[in-house]
Amino acid sequence: MRKFYIADPHFGHENVIKHSNRPFASIEEMDQSLICNWNSVVESEDQVYIIGDFLFRSSNTPGYYLDQLKGRKHLIRGNHEQWTQKVDVEKYFESVSTYLETNDEDKHIILFHYPIGEWARYYQGSIHIFGHIHNSTQSPVFNSIWRKREC
């Protein structure tokens, strides 16, 4: 059993192609590529942590995607998880939370959709995995936390 981490797949969200400069001509192409790539590496017993924004404004149901994706899924809610109120999340997910602390081999890991400046066990080498800012390193949050500063 392996562990995988993904944030912001935005299944069904056509505008994310343009806003995040994704290399797809259509939402159908993006969705099928995400599903194919996911299933090419994830096995049925692998743990997959989805760190927010699984889908947004999709014309397909959440089950359309979740039924096709391999692995034992854990959802960490992002800002686009309103859809979870319309489905039986226990059918699809091992766990659903807003913030999750877990271990991966010898590392303590914090999973939260939004970037934060410090987290549990930060000074003991804990890792924070987040999403939300997509591929934008121009985000004010990204720059205030992660930018190398000249002193």
Side-chain angles (χ1 to χ4, degrees), residues 131-142:
H132 190 65
I133 63 170
H134 296 239
N135 56 342
S136 174
T137 58
Q138 301 307 309
S139 165
V141 173
F142 184 89

Side-chain angles (χ1 to χ4, degrees), residues 3-146:
K3 291 185 177 183
F4 294 94
Y5 306 89
I6 184 171
D8 298 290
H10 281 258
F11 282 103
H13 186 194
E14 190 167 15
N15 285 338
V16 80
I17 295 171
K18 178 178 72 173
H19 295 306
S20 294
N21 198 27
R22 293 186 180 185
F24 305 106
S26 69
I27 193 59
E28 294 80 16
E29 180 186 359
M30 182 185 86
D31 285 350
Q32 287 309 305
S33 182
L34 289 171
I35 293 166
C36 180
N37 289 339
W38 178 308
N39 288 336
S40 71
V41 296
V42 175
E43 299 296 333
S44 63
E45 291 303 310
D46 291 338
Q47 303 288 323
V48 181
Y49 294 87
I50 304 162
I51 309 165
D53 294 0
F54 177 72
L55 85 142
F56 187 61
R57 296 185 176 165
S58 179
S59 60
N60 295 312
T61 66
Y64 170 80
Y65 302 106
L66 292 164
D67 286 336
Q68 294 183 66
L69 297 169
K70 294 180 187 176
R72 299 173 65 185
K73 298 172 244 350
H74 302 265
L75 178 65
I76 293 79
R77 288 186 183 98
N79 52 303
H80 293 305
E81 258 59 67
Q82 296 85 350
W83 60 270
T84 60
Q85 299 168 12
K86 301 173 187 169
V87 299
D88 179 8
V89 293
E90 292 180 1
K91 175 182 176 184
Y92 297 108
F93 296 100
E94 302 287 319
S95 67
V96 177
S97 57
T98 301
Y99 173 98
L100 183 66
E101 294 188 39
T102 188
N103 292 304
D104 193 338
E105 296 182 6
D106 64 342
K107 280 292 183 189
H108 184 255
I109 302 193
I110 303 300
L111 305 175
F112 187 58
H113 181 65
Y114 306 97
I116 50 181
E118 287 187 15
W119 49 88
R121 300 188 195 173
Y122 172 80
Y123 293 104
Q124 288 83 39
S126 175
I127 296 172
H128 169 41
I129 302 176
F130 61 91
H132 190 65
I133 63 170
H134 296 239
N135 56 342
S136 174
T137 58
Q138 301 307 309
S139 165
V141 173
F142 184 89
N143 286 322
S144 67
I145 295 173
W146 302 108

